Amino acid sequence: MAHTRRPTGDVSSVKGGRAAGQAFPMRRTRRGKLRPVRKRGWNYPRAGYGPIRRWVPSWRIVLASVFLFLAMGVGAVGYLYVTIDIPQPGDFALARTTTVYYSDGKTKMGTFAQYEREPIKLSDLPDTVPHAVVASEDSSFYTNSGISPRGIARAVVNNLRGGHRQGASTITQQYVERYYLGTTRGYLGKLKEALLAIKIDQQQSKNEILENYLNTIYFGRGAYGIEMAAQKYFGIHAQQLNLSQSAMLSAIIPSPSGWDPAVNPEKAKERWTRVLNRMVGEGYISKQEAESAAFPQTIPPGTSSAFSGTNGYLLAAVDSELRATKKFTADDLNQNGLKIVTTIDPKMQKASVDAVAGLPKDRPANNYVGLVSVDPRTGEIYAMYGGADYKARERNAVTQDRAQAGSTFKPFTLLAALDSGKSLSERLDSSTPKVFSGNKVQNFDGKDRGKIDLITATKYSVNTAYVQLNEDVGPDKTKKAAITAGIPENTPGLDSTLTNVLGSASPRPIDMAKAYSVFANQGVSTTPHIVRSVQNKNGETVYTAETEGKRVFESELMSQMNYALQSVTSSDGTGATAGKLDRPVAGKTGTSSGPWSAWFIGYTPQMVTVVDMYQVGSKGEEEVLTPFGKYTYGIGGGSFPAEIWLRYMEVATDGMKVENFPKPKKRVTPTGDDETETPAKKPSQAPTTRGRPTSSSPGVSPTPTERTPSEPTRTPTPTPTRTPEPTTPPAVVPSASPPPEPSKDATQQTQ
């Protein structure tokens, strides 16, 4: 058989040949042209072509490459779809508002929330809400597979043309982004978002997706979810939304901050009209319904705040106390949907606010009052007035601010004296003025009562007698007694100088509440606290406050203290105003020199209530209290503080069992001697009127006097804070001016 030989060509005769003398197999085309024969298999670079053309791919290679890349892309997407797992919902999706309750566990005090959200079921919403959102955000929601190919194509074209960037996200994609992924950026993130949307669309119902979407979408004004949006924009619950309100909330979803009617009413109304028209187009409402709808009126933004008003101080105290336990973080409190039950009694809290609100209208704007009421047996805080509005002044008058203690510190010297073996019948010289270690001390009213016992010295808050007692006992023991009772050792001004008995220290009201609770609780110390318990979102109790006390003083010692301090609230004591409460009351007034501050601390066996008043200058410096109201000669602990105390206690103790303080074994008799209780003879408690002790010391003037001496050259020391911090110890030099003229009103005389 004859064989035909394939023609060959010399490389020199082929344009672009590799080298002279090298031959390539050639073939002739139908037109008679010779072409190099392609290599078997992968013909690249192309055989028989010149140095440039041989690298230009043929149409076969181009087509094969396109198919290959498409196949790889489809394969990769398919692989990602199969292997990608639906992640756990993100922190944002799980974030729930923490609710804080009063002591009854039912009355709501306020909330904590990083994301203000209150989930609501789709079935509880009016149809206008889902219809408006679907019409506005994703009209194909009920028919698409989680993504919209047409929307994606439109967004790609728009983005390539340099138009305003579009994401083409369906409701399902937005739900995936917010519920599972957080904010997604870039094409890879969007691809993952789209794949998850498809997968979730197959695993969850449309109603489930829409419900979660409505509970997580941001509507502006700090509101996440339709329930909070309804509250923030209209002051109602989402269940009450009508057509116009539903359309408006749906309209601002793409740009809630920019399209808020309070920010851009024209744009908001334009978008609102668009939503109504789309609802008509989708058949959700009729054209007549759309035309008859009126643009809804919204409430001003920021009119409601969890931390506004007096309750803001309570909520801030709750937050601070729980975080101080190291068992709760800020995220725990703001995102975990906790139920916090406080110790605050709603009736008593209102009474505290009303008591301060009852002050005269001419009260200076920079005059501040702190009030805290505590159960001495458990440490639970019944009520706390930290200020008028937390948003206006984020300083709690009870837990943060300080004021010089004045004569409310004298009981610590009395405590140290009794603990060292002295008795209530100890007699001291009350002459005035007197010099102690170079310090000149005088009684406020200038009265010399001669030799008086400790009850009389306490009843009238006699300065010279108490400084003498402090000198006898030792001021270091006064300091130690105060610390043991509960005054923090680092309290500014707390020292071991002789005049510490006159209140040079500047404690917080909460510190004094803790210390005086030891007296009321017969020597057992408890810690004041505002949180009773915390439950997680599953209803499990995860925190309970400690209420167990610790004994720091003997009960008999406290019985003697309480016996002496009841004399303060007798009809002619410095705290006579508080004595009008129809039950046994012990307490102490306090007015620092100046006066820079005024206190009244009164208590029953079940309740210790501390009230202080102070004044702050424009630079945060301590100011002398400006007289106002009926106290034109000056303000003391027995004036406004005692009146506030009484107004509060009359309500707070209403219905509370009347309890007597335990009787001490040793008391002062009318002759000024100690009387020891024995089985054969049980002397009665000091004579009382309506449950109040009266004077037990003979030959004592009924004129009440209580005030630490002032110093004419002393000026307040500015501090970097807005609250009065301690300055120098109270003066012990008599004032250059005579004491205020006594008023016919008994309380005016009790400074």
Side-chain angles (χ1 to χ4, degrees), residues 131-187:
H131 290 169
V133 171
V134 169
S136 176
E137 291 296 300
D138 183 6
S139 59
S140 66
F141 170 71
Y142 289 108
T143 58
N144 65 40
S145 60
I147 63 172
S148 173
R150 191 165 75 177
I152 292 174
R154 183 178 63 251
V156 169
V157 171
N158 178 79
N159 294 341
L160 291 175
R161 289 178 176 176
H164 182 70
R165 194 169 185 82
Q166 295 180 0
S169 293
T170 61
I171 283 178
T172 308
Q173 285 177 268
Q174 293 180 54
Y175 158 59
V176 166
E177 178 181 15
R178 294 176 180 277
Y179 202 80
Y180 295 103
L181 301 178
T183 303
T184 55
R185 300 188 183 279
Y187 290 108

Short mmCIF file of all heavy atoms in Angstrom, two decimals, residues 131-187:
data_model
loop_
_atom_site.label_atom_id
_atom_site.label_comp_id
_atom_site.label_asym_id
_atom_site.label_seq_id
_atom_site.Cartn_x
_atom_site.Cartn_y
_atom_site.Cartn_z
N HIS A 131 -46.93 44.05 56.75
CA HIS A 131 -47.26 44.44 55.38
C HIS A 131 -46.47 45.66 54.94
O HIS A 131 -45.96 45.72 53.81
CB HIS A 131 -48.77 44.72 55.27
CG HIS A 131 -49.61 43.49 55.39
ND1 HIS A 131 -50.98 43.53 55.54
CD2 HIS A 131 -49.27 42.17 55.36
CE1 HIS A 131 -51.45 42.30 55.61
NE2 HIS A 131 -50.43 41.46 55.52
N ALA A 132 -46.35 46.65 55.83
CA ALA A 132 -45.61 47.86 55.48
C ALA A 132 -44.13 47.56 55.30
O ALA A 132 -43.49 48.06 54.36
CB ALA A 132 -45.80 48.91 56.57
N VAL A 133 -43.56 46.74 56.18
CA VAL A 133 -42.13 46.43 56.10
C VAL A 133 -41.82 45.63 54.85
O VAL A 133 -40.84 45.90 54.14
CB VAL A 133 -41.68 45.66 57.36
CG1 VAL A 133 -40.27 45.15 57.20
CG2 VAL A 133 -41.77 46.56 58.59
N VAL A 134 -42.64 44.62 54.53
CA VAL A 134 -42.41 43.81 53.34
C VAL A 134 -42.55 44.65 52.08
O VAL A 134 -41.72 44.57 51.15
CB VAL A 134 -43.38 42.61 53.31
CG1 VAL A 134 -43.33 41.92 51.94
CG2 VAL A 134 -43.03 41.62 54.41
N ALA A 135 -43.59 45.48 52.02
CA ALA A 135 -43.80 46.32 50.84
C ALA A 135 -42.64 47.29 50.64
O ALA A 135 -42.22 47.56 49.52
CB ALA A 135 -45.11 47.09 50.97
N SER A 136 -42.09 47.80 51.73
CA SER A 136 -41.03 48.79 51.64
C SER A 136 -39.66 48.17 51.40
O SER A 136 -38.88 48.68 50.59
CB SER A 136 -41.00 49.62 52.93
OG SER A 136 -39.93 50.53 52.92
N GLU A 137 -39.35 47.07 52.09
CA GLU A 137 -37.99 46.54 52.09
C GLU A 137 -37.76 45.38 51.14
O GLU A 137 -36.65 45.19 50.65
CB GLU A 137 -37.62 46.12 53.51
CG GLU A 137 -37.44 47.26 54.49
CD GLU A 137 -36.28 48.16 54.10
OE1 GLU A 137 -35.13 47.68 54.02
OE2 GLU A 137 -36.53 49.35 53.83
N ASP A 138 -38.79 44.56 50.88
CA ASP A 138 -38.57 43.35 50.07
C ASP A 138 -39.92 42.80 49.62
O ASP A 138 -40.49 41.90 50.24
CB ASP A 138 -37.82 42.30 50.90
CG ASP A 138 -37.49 41.05 50.11
OD1 ASP A 138 -37.73 41.03 48.89
OD2 ASP A 138 -37.00 40.08 50.74
N SER A 139 -40.43 43.33 48.52
CA SER A 139 -41.77 42.94 48.07
C SER A 139 -41.86 41.48 47.66
O SER A 139 -42.94 40.90 47.63
CB SER A 139 -42.21 43.84 46.91
OG SER A 139 -41.30 43.74 45.82
N SER A 140 -40.73 40.85 47.32
CA SER A 140 -40.73 39.44 46.93
C SER A 140 -40.41 38.51 48.09
O SER A 140 -40.10 37.34 47.89
CB SER A 140 -39.72 39.21 45.80
OG SER A 140 -38.39 39.42 46.27
N PHE A 141 -40.48 39.04 49.30
CA PHE A 141 -40.08 38.27 50.48
C PHE A 141 -40.76 36.91 50.57
O PHE A 141 -40.11 35.89 50.84
CB PHE A 141 -40.37 39.09 51.74
CG PHE A 141 -40.20 38.33 53.03
CD1 PHE A 141 -38.94 37.96 53.48
CD2 PHE A 141 -41.31 37.94 53.78
CE1 PHE A 141 -38.78 37.24 54.66
CE2 PHE A 141 -41.16 37.23 54.96
CZ PHE A 141 -39.89 36.89 55.40
N TYR A 142 -42.06 36.88 50.34
CA TYR A 142 -42.80 35.64 50.53
C TYR A 142 -42.57 34.64 49.40
O TYR A 142 -42.95 33.47 49.52
CB TYR A 142 -44.29 35.92 50.68
CG TYR A 142 -44.64 36.59 52.00
CD1 TYR A 142 -45.00 37.93 52.05
CD2 TYR A 142 -44.59 35.87 53.19
CE1 TYR A 142 -45.31 38.54 53.25
CE2 TYR A 142 -44.90 36.48 54.40
CZ TYR A 142 -45.26 37.81 54.43
OH TYR A 142 -45.57 38.41 55.63
N THR A 143 -41.95 35.05 48.31
CA THR A 143 -41.73 34.14 47.17
C THR A 143 -40.27 33.88 46.87
O THR A 143 -39.95 32.88 46.23
CB THR A 143 -42.39 34.72 45.91
OG1 THR A 143 -41.85 36.03 45.64
CG2 THR A 143 -43.90 34.83 46.10
N ASN A 144 -39.35 34.73 47.31
CA ASN A 144 -37.94 34.51 46.97
C ASN A 144 -37.33 33.43 47.87
O ASN A 144 -37.92 33.01 48.87
CB ASN A 144 -37.14 35.81 47.02
CG ASN A 144 -37.05 36.42 48.43
OD1 ASN A 144 -36.88 35.72 49.40
ND2 ASN A 144 -37.16 37.75 48.50
N SER A 145 -36.14 33.02 47.50
CA SER A 145 -35.47 31.94 48.22
C SER A 145 -34.47 32.48 49.24
O SER A 145 -33.56 31.77 49.65
CB SER A 145 -34.74 31.04 47.22
OG SER A 145 -33.78 31.80 46.49
N GLY A 146 -34.63 33.71 49.63
CA GLY A 146 -33.72 34.33 50.59
C GLY A 146 -32.86 35.40 49.97
O GLY A 146 -32.34 36.27 50.67
N ILE A 147 -32.70 35.33 48.64
CA ILE A 147 -31.95 36.36 47.92
C ILE A 147 -32.76 36.79 46.71
O ILE A 147 -33.71 36.09 46.30
CB ILE A 147 -30.56 35.88 47.48
CG1 ILE A 147 -30.70 34.71 46.49
CG2 ILE A 147 -29.72 35.49 48.68
CD1 ILE A 147 -29.40 34.29 45.86
N SER A 148 -32.40 37.90 46.13
CA SER A 148 -33.08 38.40 44.94
C SER A 148 -32.06 38.57 43.82
O SER A 148 -31.32 39.56 43.80
CB SER A 148 -33.75 39.74 45.24
OG SER A 148 -34.27 40.32 44.05
N PRO A 149 -31.98 37.60 42.87
CA PRO A 149 -31.02 37.71 41.76
C PRO A 149 -31.18 39.00 40.98
O PRO A 149 -30.19 39.63 40.58
CB PRO A 149 -31.34 36.49 40.91
CG PRO A 149 -31.93 35.50 41.87
CD PRO A 149 -32.72 36.33 42.82
N ARG A 150 -32.43 39.40 40.74
CA ARG A 150 -32.66 40.63 39.99
C ARG A 150 -32.14 41.83 40.77
O ARG A 150 -31.54 42.75 40.22
CB ARG A 150 -34.14 40.79 39.69
CG ARG A 150 -34.43 41.91 38.69
CD ARG A 150 -35.83 41.81 38.14
NE ARG A 150 -36.82 42.25 39.13
CZ ARG A 150 -38.12 42.32 38.88
NH1 ARG A 150 -38.58 41.91 37.70
NH2 ARG A 150 -38.96 42.73 39.78
N GLY A 151 -32.37 41.81 42.08
CA GLY A 151 -31.87 42.91 42.90
C GLY A 151 -30.35 42.94 42.92
O GLY A 151 -29.75 44.01 42.90
N ILE A 152 -29.73 41.75 42.96
CA ILE A 152 -28.27 41.69 42.96
C ILE A 152 -27.71 42.24 41.66
O ILE A 152 -26.75 43.02 41.65
CB ILE A 152 -27.80 40.24 43.17
CG1 ILE A 152 -28.16 39.79 44.60
CG2 ILE A 152 -26.31 40.12 42.94
CD1 ILE A 152 -27.88 38.33 44.86
N ALA A 153 -28.33 41.84 40.54
CA ALA A 153 -27.87 42.32 39.23
C ALA A 153 -28.00 43.83 39.13
O ALA A 153 -27.11 44.52 38.63
CB ALA A 153 -28.66 41.64 38.12
N ARG A 154 -29.13 44.33 39.61
CA ARG A 154 -29.34 45.78 39.57
C ARG A 154 -28.31 46.51 40.41
O ARG A 154 -27.76 47.54 40.01
CB ARG A 154 -30.75 46.09 40.08
CG ARG A 154 -31.11 47.58 40.02
CD ARG A 154 -32.53 47.85 40.49
NE ARG A 154 -32.73 47.48 41.88
CZ ARG A 154 -33.45 46.45 42.29
NH1 ARG A 154 -34.05 45.66 41.40
NH2 ARG A 154 -33.58 46.18 43.57
N ALA A 155 -27.98 45.97 41.59
CA ALA A 155 -27.00 46.60 42.45
C ALA A 155 -25.62 46.57 41.84
O ALA A 155 -24.86 47.54 41.94
CB ALA A 155 -27.00 45.90 43.82
N VAL A 156 -25.25 45.43 41.18
CA VAL A 156 -23.94 45.31 40.56
C VAL A 156 -23.77 46.34 39.46
O VAL A 156 -22.75 47.02 39.36
CB VAL A 156 -23.72 43.89 40.01
CG1 VAL A 156 -22.47 43.85 39.14
CG2 VAL A 156 -23.60 42.90 41.16
N VAL A 157 -24.79 46.45 38.60
CA VAL A 157 -24.73 47.43 37.51
C VAL A 157 -24.61 48.83 38.06
O VAL A 157 -23.81 49.65 37.59
CB VAL A 157 -25.98 47.30 36.61
CG1 VAL A 157 -26.03 48.45 35.60
CG2 VAL A 157 -25.98 45.97 35.89
N ASN A 158 -25.40 49.14 39.06
CA ASN A 158 -25.36 50.47 39.66
C ASN A 158 -24.00 50.76 40.26
O ASN A 158 -23.44 51.85 40.09
CB ASN A 158 -26.44 50.58 40.74
CG ASN A 158 -26.42 51.93 41.45
OD1 ASN A 158 -26.92 52.92 40.92
ND2 ASN A 158 -25.84 51.96 42.63
N ASN A 159 -23.43 49.78 40.96
CA ASN A 159 -22.13 49.98 41.59
C ASN A 159 -21.03 50.16 40.57
O ASN A 159 -20.10 50.96 40.75
CB ASN A 159 -21.81 48.81 42.52
CG ASN A 159 -22.77 48.74 43.71
OD1 ASN A 159 -23.43 49.72 44.04
ND2 ASN A 159 -22.84 47.57 44.35
N LEU A 160 -21.11 49.38 39.45
CA LEU A 160 -20.10 49.50 38.40
C LEU A 160 -20.17 50.85 37.70
O LEU A 160 -19.16 51.37 37.23
CB LEU A 160 -20.28 48.38 37.37
CG LEU A 160 -19.93 46.96 37.87
CD1 LEU A 160 -20.26 45.93 36.79
CD2 LEU A 160 -18.45 46.88 38.24
N ARG A 161 -21.36 51.41 37.64
CA ARG A 161 -21.53 52.72 37.02
C ARG A 161 -21.11 53.85 37.96
O ARG A 161 -21.11 55.02 37.56
CB ARG A 161 -22.99 52.93 36.63
CG ARG A 161 -23.42 52.07 35.43
CD ARG A 161 -24.88 52.30 35.14
NE ARG A 161 -25.31 51.57 33.94
CZ ARG A 161 -26.58 51.54 33.49
NH1 ARG A 161 -27.51 52.20 34.16
NH2 ARG A 161 -26.88 50.86 32.40
N GLY A 162 -20.76 53.51 39.18
CA GLY A 162 -20.31 54.53 40.13
C GLY A 162 -21.44 55.22 40.84
O GLY A 162 -21.23 56.28 41.45
N GLY A 163 -22.64 54.64 40.78
CA GLY A 163 -23.76 55.24 41.48
C GLY A 163 -23.66 55.03 42.98
O GLY A 163 -22.69 54.45 43.49
N HIS A 164 -24.70 55.48 43.72
CA HIS A 164 -24.72 55.29 45.17
C HIS A 164 -24.70 53.80 45.46
O HIS A 164 -25.49 53.03 44.92
CB HIS A 164 -25.98 55.93 45.76
CG HIS A 164 -26.06 55.81 47.26
ND1 HIS A 164 -25.24 56.50 48.09
CD2 HIS A 164 -26.87 55.04 48.04
CE1 HIS A 164 -25.52 56.19 49.35
NE2 HIS A 164 -26.51 55.29 49.34
N ARG A 165 -23.78 53.38 46.30
CA ARG A 165 -23.56 51.96 46.54
C ARG A 165 -24.83 51.30 47.07
O ARG A 165 -25.45 51.76 48.01
CB ARG A 165 -22.41 51.75 47.52
CG ARG A 165 -21.91 50.31 47.55
CD ARG A 165 -20.61 50.21 48.33
NE ARG A 165 -20.06 48.87 48.27
CZ ARG A 165 -19.36 48.38 47.27
NH1 ARG A 165 -19.11 49.14 46.22
NH2 ARG A 165 -18.91 47.14 47.30
N GLN A 166 -25.18 50.16 46.47
CA GLN A 166 -26.36 49.41 46.87
C GLN A 166 -25.95 48.01 47.31
O GLN A 166 -24.99 47.44 46.82
CB GLN A 166 -27.36 49.29 45.70
CG GLN A 166 -27.93 50.63 45.26
CD GLN A 166 -28.92 50.47 44.11
OE1 GLN A 166 -29.16 49.36 43.64
NE2 GLN A 166 -29.48 51.57 43.66
N GLY A 167 -26.72 47.47 48.26
CA GLY A 167 -26.42 46.14 48.76
C GLY A 167 -27.36 45.07 48.28
O GLY A 167 -27.07 43.89 48.34
N ALA A 168 -28.53 45.44 47.80
CA ALA A 168 -29.51 44.50 47.25
C ALA A 168 -29.91 43.44 48.26
O ALA A 168 -30.24 42.32 47.91
CB ALA A 168 -28.97 43.83 45.99
N SER A 169 -29.87 43.78 49.56
CA SER A 169 -30.19 42.80 50.59
C SER A 169 -31.69 42.62 50.73
O SER A 169 -32.44 43.59 50.85
CB SER A 169 -29.61 43.24 51.94
OG SER A 169 -28.21 43.21 51.91
N THR A 170 -32.12 41.37 50.76
CA THR A 170 -33.51 41.06 51.05
C THR A 170 -33.72 41.13 52.56
O THR A 170 -32.76 41.28 53.34
CB THR A 170 -33.85 39.65 50.57
OG1 THR A 170 -33.02 38.72 51.28
CG2 THR A 170 -33.60 39.49 49.07
N ILE A 171 -34.96 41.00 52.97
CA ILE A 171 -35.24 40.97 54.41
C ILE A 171 -34.50 39.82 55.06
O ILE A 171 -33.95 39.95 56.16
CB ILE A 171 -36.77 40.86 54.65
CG1 ILE A 171 -37.42 42.22 54.43
CG2 ILE A 171 -37.06 40.34 56.05
CD1 ILE A 171 -38.93 42.22 54.59
N THR A 172 -34.45 38.67 54.36
CA THR A 172 -33.75 37.51 54.92
C THR A 172 -32.26 37.80 55.07
O THR A 172 -31.65 37.42 56.08
CB THR A 172 -33.96 36.28 54.03
OG1 THR A 172 -35.36 36.09 53.79
CG2 THR A 172 -33.39 35.04 54.69
N GLN A 173 -31.67 38.46 54.10
CA GLN A 173 -30.25 38.80 54.20
C GLN A 173 -29.99 39.79 55.33
O GLN A 173 -29.01 39.68 56.06
CB GLN A 173 -29.76 39.38 52.87
CG GLN A 173 -29.55 38.34 51.78
CD GLN A 173 -29.13 38.98 50.47
OE1 GLN A 173 -29.96 39.30 49.63
NE2 GLN A 173 -27.83 39.18 50.31
N GLN A 174 -30.86 40.79 55.46
CA GLN A 174 -30.71 41.73 56.56
C GLN A 174 -30.85 41.02 57.91
O GLN A 174 -30.13 41.31 58.87
CB GLN A 174 -31.77 42.83 56.44
CG GLN A 174 -31.59 43.74 55.23
CD GLN A 174 -32.67 44.81 55.17
OE1 GLN A 174 -32.87 45.54 56.13
NE2 GLN A 174 -33.38 44.88 54.06
N TYR A 175 -31.78 40.08 57.96
CA TYR A 175 -31.99 39.29 59.18
C TYR A 175 -30.74 38.48 59.51
O TYR A 175 -30.29 38.44 60.66
CB TYR A 175 -33.21 38.39 58.98
CG TYR A 175 -33.27 37.16 59.85
CD1 TYR A 175 -33.29 37.27 61.24
CD2 TYR A 175 -33.35 35.89 59.29
CE1 TYR A 175 -33.37 36.14 62.04
CE2 TYR A 175 -33.44 34.76 60.08
CZ TYR A 175 -33.45 34.89 61.45
OH TYR A 175 -33.53 33.77 62.23
N VAL A 176 -30.15 37.86 58.49
CA VAL A 176 -28.93 37.06 58.69
C VAL A 176 -27.80 37.95 59.19
O VAL A 176 -27.06 37.60 60.12
CB VAL A 176 -28.52 36.36 57.38
CG1 VAL A 176 -27.09 35.82 57.47
CG2 VAL A 176 -29.49 35.23 57.06
N GLU A 177 -27.67 39.11 58.57
CA GLU A 177 -26.59 40.02 58.94
C GLU A 177 -26.72 40.46 60.40
O GLU A 177 -25.75 40.43 61.16
CB GLU A 177 -26.60 41.25 58.04
CG GLU A 177 -25.52 42.27 58.39
CD GLU A 177 -25.56 43.49 57.48
OE1 GLU A 177 -26.57 43.67 56.77
OE2 GLU A 177 -24.58 44.25 57.49
N ARG A 178 -27.91 40.82 60.81
CA ARG A 178 -28.09 41.36 62.16
C ARG A 178 -28.17 40.26 63.21
O ARG A 178 -27.70 40.43 64.33
CB ARG A 178 -29.35 42.22 62.21
CG ARG A 178 -29.22 43.47 61.36
CD ARG A 178 -30.51 44.28 61.35
NE ARG A 178 -30.34 45.46 60.51
CZ ARG A 178 -29.79 46.60 60.93
NH1 ARG A 178 -29.35 46.68 62.16
NH2 ARG A 178 -29.66 47.62 60.13
N TYR A 179 -28.78 39.15 62.85
CA TYR A 179 -29.02 38.10 63.84
C TYR A 179 -27.83 37.18 64.03
O TYR A 179 -27.61 36.66 65.12
CB TYR A 179 -30.24 37.28 63.42
CG TYR A 179 -30.91 36.54 64.55
CD1 TYR A 179 -31.78 37.19 65.42
CD2 TYR A 179 -30.68 35.19 64.74
CE1 TYR A 179 -32.40 36.51 66.45
CE2 TYR A 179 -31.30 34.49 65.77
CZ TYR A 179 -32.16 35.17 66.63
OH TYR A 179 -32.77 34.49 67.65
N TYR A 180 -27.06 36.97 62.97
CA TYR A 180 -25.99 35.97 63.05
C TYR A 180 -24.58 36.53 62.83
O TYR A 180 -23.63 36.10 63.46
CB TYR A 180 -26.22 34.86 62.03
CG TYR A 180 -27.45 34.04 62.31
CD1 TYR A 180 -28.61 34.23 61.57
CD2 TYR A 180 -27.46 33.08 63.31
CE1 TYR A 180 -29.75 33.48 61.83
CE2 TYR A 180 -28.59 32.32 63.57
CZ TYR A 180 -29.74 32.53 62.83
OH TYR A 180 -30.85 31.78 63.09
N LEU A 181 -24.44 37.46 61.90
CA LEU A 181 -23.10 37.83 61.46
C LEU A 181 -22.60 39.15 62.01
O LEU A 181 -21.41 39.40 62.07
CB LEU A 181 -23.04 37.88 59.93
CG LEU A 181 -23.41 36.59 59.19
CD1 LEU A 181 -23.35 36.82 57.69
CD2 LEU A 181 -22.46 35.47 59.60
N GLY A 182 -23.49 40.03 62.35
CA GLY A 182 -23.07 41.40 62.62
C GLY A 182 -22.94 42.09 61.27
O GLY A 182 -23.29 41.55 60.23
N THR A 183 -22.40 43.28 61.26
CA THR A 183 -22.27 44.02 60.00
C THR A 183 -21.32 43.31 59.05
O THR A 183 -20.20 42.96 59.42
CB THR A 183 -21.75 45.44 60.26
OG1 THR A 183 -22.65 46.09 61.18
CG2 THR A 183 -21.67 46.23 58.98
N THR A 184 -21.78 43.04 57.82
CA THR A 184 -20.94 42.38 56.81
C THR A 184 -20.46 43.41 55.80
O THR A 184 -21.22 44.26 55.36
CB THR A 184 -21.72 41.28 56.08
OG1 THR A 184 -22.92 41.83 55.53
CG2 THR A 184 -22.09 40.15 57.02
N ARG A 185 -19.18 43.29 55.40
CA ARG A 185 -18.60 44.22 54.45
C ARG A 185 -17.81 43.43 53.41
O ARG A 185 -17.30 42.36 53.68
CB ARG A 185 -17.69 45.23 55.15
CG ARG A 185 -18.41 46.08 56.19
CD ARG A 185 -17.54 47.19 56.72
NE ARG A 185 -18.20 47.95 57.76
CZ ARG A 185 -19.10 48.91 57.54
NH1 ARG A 185 -19.43 49.22 56.30
NH2 ARG A 185 -19.66 49.55 58.55
N GLY A 186 -17.71 44.00 52.23
CA GLY A 186 -16.95 43.36 51.17
C GLY A 186 -17.77 42.28 50.47
O GLY A 186 -18.77 41.79 50.98
N TYR A 187 -17.29 41.89 49.25
CA TYR A 187 -18.03 40.92 48.45
C TYR A 187 -17.99 39.53 49.07
O TYR A 187 -18.96 38.77 48.97
CB TYR A 187 -17.47 40.89 47.02
CG TYR A 187 -17.79 42.15 46.25
CD1 TYR A 187 -16.81 43.10 45.97
CD2 TYR A 187 -19.09 42.40 45.84
CE1 TYR A 187 -17.11 44.27 45.28
CE2 TYR A 187 -19.41 43.56 45.14
CZ TYR A 187 -18.41 44.49 44.86
OH TYR A 187 -18.73 45.64 44.18
#
